[in-house]
Amino acid sequence: MSAPPASPPEQPVTERPVSTATVPPRRHRRWIGWVVIVLLVIGAALLLMRISASMSVPFRGGGDPEGTGDHGMLALTEILRDQGVEVEVVRSRADAVAAIEDDTTLAMTDPYALSDEAVQDLLEPANRVVLLSASTRMLELLELGETTSASTSAAVTASCDLPELAGVGEIHPGRLFIPADGIIGCYPDADGNAALLVDDSPGTYRAMIDGTRLFGNSYLAEDGNAALGLALLGQTGHVVWYVPSFADGDIEQQAEPSLGDLTPDWVTPAIVMLILAGIAAALWRGRRFGPLVAETLPVTVRASETMHGRARLTAKAADAGHAAEAIRDGSVRRLARRLSLHERANAGEVADAVADRLRIPRTAVQELLAGALPASDDDLIDHARRLSDLESAVDDAVRAERGTR
């Protein structure tokens, strides 16, 4: 078998100019970011409007006769109305005083925002007053008794001579009190502390009970809580339920200085100027650049350097299959060119043409040009030798055919 033909002289390979430009986006795409920003601003504005609208709804907290929460007393209010009692909810002491009549029960929780004088003015026209929360100040002001830290988890009964409590069953009281002299103490524990204090003097009825736990919406159905609420508030046909608040208070409170009060006058204008300067700088330096320009990179790489570099990478990776594929691909392209096949002829077509030209079985040529790749270095050397022999045989056959013409 003759020696393989000499390789053609190496030619310098010049890489194509590499473009650093990208396809410029369409003009309408430039506005997508601004559209997204506008939508976010609109969404944030709608969210703030919804939050401000929800904050404008008056809060109905614990002890409120219109409160629907666990500690609100709307359920007790509706029960009273079902029993024919007129319940009038007022939120200012002026309206409360104006609504009180001879046959009126004044109900309220601790008037924390009223001074002692304002509380006296509020209670003076009412013959019957029921306080539905514990307050040390109200205990002293009405001379009903004292507070105590004692508590009980056991159910207690009225154990007093008030006729309206005769049909009320057991309750689990909240806070307990020590009755003052002459004050009726109902629902007592073993030590004499009472859950309900009543001053039933002639022409005056003053009662106090910690009703936040007994008369809340979530607890009204327990034990005799509902019956006790009716017994205290349903003795008259008219109930004026006063709801205290800071807006209706007469106690002046000294507001703590805000951050604006503590800072110098020049701070706010300086902050505004810095914000405006930042916006101006963003508009000045944040403008869009023009399209990228393609540049020709004058880099020339010799074919031998590329070949040797790829060979070193393949040898370092110990990838015999990849090396064999590169060798076989070169052999297929050279065989196709020598057999006058088109440039895109695949390995199967080249194998068929080689088998016809050399008069050898197609299976052997197909296995060599399109079969499995070698997996070891020894197989790679043998595979390369067989490809070289096949190319030499085809060259000899092509020369012999040309010599006979």
Side-chain angles (χ1 to χ4, degrees):
M1 185 175 297
S2 60
S7 301
E10 296 180 353
Q11 298 293 332
V13 178
T14 303
E15 291 187 351
R16 293 181 178 180
V18 180
S19 174
T20 59
T22 58
V23 179
R26 296 181 180 179
R27 188 174 186 83
H28 70 274
R29 292 183 179 177
R30 299 177 181 177
W31 301 98
I32 293 179
W34 290 107
V35 172
V36 172
I37 293 174
V38 171
L39 293 177
L40 290 176
V41 172
I42 294 175
L46 293 177
L47 180 60
L48 291 176
M49 292 173 60
R50 185 170 183 179
I51 293 175
S52 61
S54 63
M55 293 178 63
S56 63
V57 178
F59 174 71
R60 303 289 185 248
D64 195 302
E66 296 177 342
T68 58
D70 292 343
H71 299 284
M73 296 185 183
L74 179 62
L76 179 58
T77 304
E78 295 301 325
I79 291 176
L80 290 170
R81 287 170 176 166
D82 292 342
Q83 297 299 318
V85 179
E86 180 187 357
V87 180
E88 185 175 354
V89 179
V90 295
R91 300 186 181 273
S92 71
R93 65 182 185 276
D95 294 340
V97 171
I100 294 175
E101 301 175 356
D102 294 339
D103 189 22
T104 297
T105 298
L106 175 62
M108 62 180 177
T109 55
D110 177 24
Y112 50 86
L114 300 181
S115 63
D116 293 346
E117 293 77 9
V119 172
Q120 294 288 3
D121 295 339
L122 175 63
L123 300 183
E124 183 178 359
N127 295 328
R128 186 180 179 91
V129 178
V130 178
L131 294 170
L132 300 174
S133 64
S135 170
T136 303
R137 185 185 68 145
M138 294 303 295
L139 282 172
E140 297 176 354
L141 188 62
L142 300 180
E143 299 179 352
L144 295 176
E146 301 176 1
T147 59
T148 177
S149 59
S151 62
T152 178
S153 60
V156 294
T157 57
S159 303
C160 58
D161 297 333
L162 296 178
E164 62 265 25
L165 302 180
V168 180
E170 296 179 341
I171 65 170
H172 287 79
R175 191 169 180 179
L176 299 178
F177 311 99
I178 301 175
D181 295 338
I183 302 300
I184 302 173
C186 301
Y187 299 99
D189 62 359
D191 299 329
N193 302 310
L196 173 63
L197 301 181
V198 178
D199 180 7
D200 197 12
S201 303
T204 303
Y205 182 93
R206 303 286 188 263
M208 176 181 285
I209 188 171
D210 186 8
T212 55
R213 170 63 175 82
L214 296 172
F215 305 138
N217 296 327
S218 297
Y219 315 106
L220 191 62
E222 298 176 359
D223 304 323
N225 297 350
L228 178 58
L230 286 174
L232 293 176
L233 302 178
Q235 299 302 313
T236 61
H238 182 220
V239 174
V240 174
W241 200 316
Y242 170 66
V243 182
S245 63
F246 285 110
D248 189 50
D250 64 333
I251 300 178
E252 296 183 359
Q253 296 183 355
Q254 184 178 4
E256 296 183 358
S258 63
L259 182 61
D261 298 332
L262 298 176
T263 54
D265 296 336
W266 58 267
V267 173
T268 301
I271 293 176
V272 174
M273 292 183 62
L274 288 176
I275 294 175
L276 294 177
I279 295 175
L283 295 176
W284 171 45
R285 302 300 298 175
R287 62 183 184 275
R288 290 180 55 86
F289 295 100
L292 298 178
V293 180
E295 297 182 5
T296 302
L297 302 181
V299 178
T300 302
V301 182
R302 293 182 176 273
S304 59
E305 294 180 5
T306 303
M307 179 186 66
H308 292 158
R310 292 180 178 178
R312 283 192 295 269
L313 291 175
T314 303
K316 185 177 181 179
D319 190 359
H322 187 269
E325 183 179 5
I327 295 174
R328 188 166 66 182
D329 181 69
S331 297
V332 170
R333 287 188 284 106
R334 287 190 294 270
L335 289 173
R337 187 167 55 252
R338 291 167 186 169
L339 295 175
S340 301
L341 299 177
H342 57 87
E343 295 181 355
R344 297 184 178 180
N346 55 33
E349 296 173 347
V350 174
D352 292 341
V354 170
D356 291 340
R357 183 63 57 90
L358 299 180
R359 300 292 189 271
I360 58 178
R362 297 177 183 272
T363 306
V365 185
Q366 288 279 356
E367 179 66 23
L368 181 61
L369 297 183
L373 296 172
S376 63
D377 293 343
D378 295 338
D379 295 339
L380 174 62
I381 295 173
D382 181 68
H383 187 72
R385 186 180 295 110
R386 292 172 58 191
L387 288 174
S388 178
D389 293 343
L390 182 64
E391 291 185 44
S392 299
V394 171
D395 288 342
D396 294 342
V398 170
R399 288 197 209 93
E401 182 178 350
R402 291 175 179 175
T404 57
R405 289 179 183 179

